[in-house]
Amino acid sequence: MKNKRCGNCGSFEITKNKVEGPFRWKDYPLVYLTSPISLLQCNACGETMRLPGDSEKIDHAVEESLRHYTQFFIAKILERENCKQIELAARLGVSPEYLSSLKAGNRTPSFQTFNFLRTLAMNEGAFQVAAPENATRLAKVG
Ligand SMILES: [Zn+2]
């Protein structure tokens, strides 16, 4: 890759590297891939350069990773809380059908839903706090 120059820092140290992110994608501020992809990258500043076809490659890898994380979060929550999918759907504010499609890996959630799933999966106790009836309880106290 001689003569190619980094548009960010001007370095000529451009090579094809395995990159796992972070990628900004749709409403996601930062996505890390579950398995890295090959992209041209500046070794001085880390900036990635996109060749024709790279955008589709990145889109595909990002969606695949997000769906994989989403399936993992859902499985973890259902197992730990020993709850039904309908109870999780109620906390997320999504339909049970939509949650099923996420669980099957057929759809990619919005960042908001993804982030909520991550919080519920990573924090024991968050599931109880997020119960719909708790909002009513809180409002009554005030
Ligand atoms: Zn650079």
Side-chain angles (χ1 to χ4, degrees):
M1 283 303 152
K2 287 214 171 85
N3 302 325
K4 222 171 178 34
R5 190 167 191 187
C6 175
N8 187 47
C9 75
S11 167
F12 289 97
E13 292 296 312
I14 311 292
T15 54
K16 198 142 204 173
N17 295 341
K18 291 274 184 192
V19 180
E20 66 173 14
F23 295 100
R24 180 188 291 272
W25 187 81
K26 294 192 179 173
D27 60 343
Y28 286 78
L30 297 171
V31 179
Y32 288 90
L33 302 178
T34 48
S35 38
I37 53 173
S38 289
L39 290 176
L40 283 183
Q41 187 177 38
C42 170
N43 291 314
C45 74
E47 184 91 341
T48 54
M49 273 139 272
R50 297 186 183 190
L51 298 172
D54 277 353
S55 291
E56 289 77 9
K57 187 162 88 172
I58 293 167
D59 278 354
H60 183 260
V62 164
E63 282 211 73
E64 201 173 61
S65 297
L66 291 175
R67 290 178 185 201
H68 180 83
Y69 289 129
T70 300
Q71 289 183 284
F72 170 78
F73 294 151
I74 292 171
K76 191 175 165 97
I77 296 163
L78 293 177
E79 193 196 328
R80 191 188 63 220
E81 303 298 332
N82 192 25
C83 71
K84 297 200 173 91
Q85 281 188 53
I86 197 164
E87 297 173 71
L88 177 54
R91 281 161 170 79
L92 292 169
V94 302
S95 71
E97 294 76 21
Y98 181 66
L99 182 63
S100 285
S101 66
L102 293 179
K103 184 168 178 266
N106 293 332
R107 298 185 69 171
T108 308
S110 68
F111 177 65
Q112 194 184 5
T113 300
F114 180 86
N115 209 26
F116 198 4
L117 277 169
R118 178 169 55 190
T119 301
L120 292 177
M122 297 310 172
N123 299 312
E124 283 194 46
F127 190 81
Q128 288 309 318
V129 173
E133 61 269 24
N134 274 342
T136 323
R137 234 175 259 148
L138 258 180
K140 278 180 184 160
V141 171

